[in-house]
Amino acid sequence: MGPSLLFCPADRPERYAKAAQRADAVIIDLEDAVAAGSKEAARRALLDTPLDPARVIVRVNPVDSEHFAKDLEALGQTAYRTVMLPKCESAAQPAALAGYDVLALCETAKGITNASDIAGAQNVVALMWGAEDLIASLGGTSSRGQDGSYREVARFARSQVLLNAVANGKAAVDSVYLDIPDLEGLGEESRDAKASGFAAKASIHPNQMPVIREAFAPTEAERERARRILEAAEANPGVFAFEGQMVDEPLLRQARATLGK
């Protein structure tokens, strides 16, 4: 699964194929993108409009919601086996999705503080964080300041999810960028996500896909430098200097990651 994940409302089946064409994986959303009165129609659309299961994540409603049992029943009639669990707050909750690979969405104060336990759950394959629901759970009003950057508490939550996911051998997915026209800001945030260690970034609009893909793909200059560092390492065991920079094992690991090794 690639780095660009695109949310698609489950009650808009006419958008499924278009989303699949643009994204590395589609998140068919039964939760926030679907009004309460449209949940049943969304489940029917999920059943009637199949996509390649390898490129689909289904976001169900929270475990403790009135909609979860019906979501699970519908999910069982599909070939989809990767599920996004929103507002995940404990390691016990993914167990309700036994038999599925779970992308646990930590987007409440409790979810962030329990991120380590959640990441350690057996069927959790990745963690994602959500800024807006987190701020709402704290009683706040905005995840970003006037300059567009995240507030400190949001940056802390982002780091917690990344650190705890990777510490448990799981992937980390960065949150969505809500300012759709601001592709420059999206690119900057996506490049930071990639450089920090996130495996992917979720998104809400097809126009964001190329920006995310470009941000997560190393440039040819980066790849060439990584190749030269690894070549130099073969002739210089241990720590060595390369173009004025000290190179040791952590930097060699970064070079390997750039080349996908």
Side-chain angles (χ1 to χ4, degrees):
M1 189 177 296
S4 60
L5 312 181
L6 179 60
F7 279 98
C8 181
D11 61 346
R12 299 299 301 271
E14 73 279 6
R15 296 184 182 178
Y16 287 14
K18 294 177 183 178
Q21 289 173 358
R22 301 294 291 273
D24 293 313
V26 179
I27 304 169
I28 300 179
D29 189 5
L30 290 165
E31 193 213 11
D32 284 345
V34 180
S38 299
K39 298 288 188 185
E40 189 57 40
R43 295 185 196 102
R44 287 198 301 270
L46 181 72
L47 297 176
D48 295 341
T49 318
L51 294 174
D52 177 3
R55 298 180 56 235
V56 171
I57 301 165
V58 178
R59 178 159 79 166
V60 296
N61 285 275
V63 169
D64 58 359
S65 74
E66 61 180 303
H67 305 292
F68 179 75
K70 291 184 178 179
D71 289 351
L72 195 57
E73 181 182 354
L75 191 62
Q77 300 175 57
T78 72
Y80 303 134
R81 287 297 174 266
T82 304
V83 181
M84 178 178 287
L85 182 60
K87 299 176 181 63
C88 187
E89 296 188 330
S90 73
Q93 290 182 342
L97 287 161
Y100 294 95
D101 290 337
V102 174
L103 197 168
L105 182 46
C106 301
E107 52 182 344
T108 65
K110 187 176 289 187
I112 295 298
T113 56
N114 288 334
S116 179
D117 290 341
I118 293 169
Q122 185 174 5
N123 61 332
V124 168
V125 297
L127 295 189
M128 178 175 157
W129 77 289
E132 305 313 320
D133 278 295
L134 169 64
I135 295 299
S137 80
L138 295 170
T141 58
S142 174
S143 67
R144 297 181 186 264
Q146 291 186 348
D147 64 353
S149 64
Y150 278 124
R151 299 186 188 280
E152 186 62 34
V153 67
R155 289 197 294 270
F156 173 79
R158 185 179 189 240
S159 297
Q160 283 289 95
V161 165
L162 173 60
L163 288 166
N164 284 293
V166 175
N168 283 275
K170 311 296 173 67
V173 178
D174 199 21
S175 189
V176 300
Y177 194 82
L178 295 178
D179 190 349
I180 296 172
D182 183 18
L183 298 180
E184 182 178 348
L186 170 66
E188 182 178 349
E189 190 167 285
S190 300
R191 287 188 291 274
D192 177 77
K194 168 60 177 176
S196 297
F198 283 95
K201 187 170 181 63
S203 56
I204 56 172
H205 195 277
N207 288 348
Q208 296 179 321
M209 296 293 94
V211 177
I212 294 172
R213 280 204 183 101
E214 182 179 1
F216 273 79
T219 65
E220 185 51 43
E222 290 170 337
R223 293 178 63 84
E224 175 58 26
R225 188 172 192 275
R227 280 192 288 265
R228 289 190 288 111
I229 287 175
L230 294 178
E231 288 172 359
E234 293 179 3
N236 298 276
V239 178
F240 64 96
F242 180 83
E243 297 180 353
Q245 181 182 28
M246 186 195 78
V247 175
D248 56 6
E249 182 55 30
L251 270 72
L252 295 178
R253 287 165 58 191
Q254 292 174 17
R256 295 185 196 106
T258 297
L259 297 174
K261 295 185 176 181

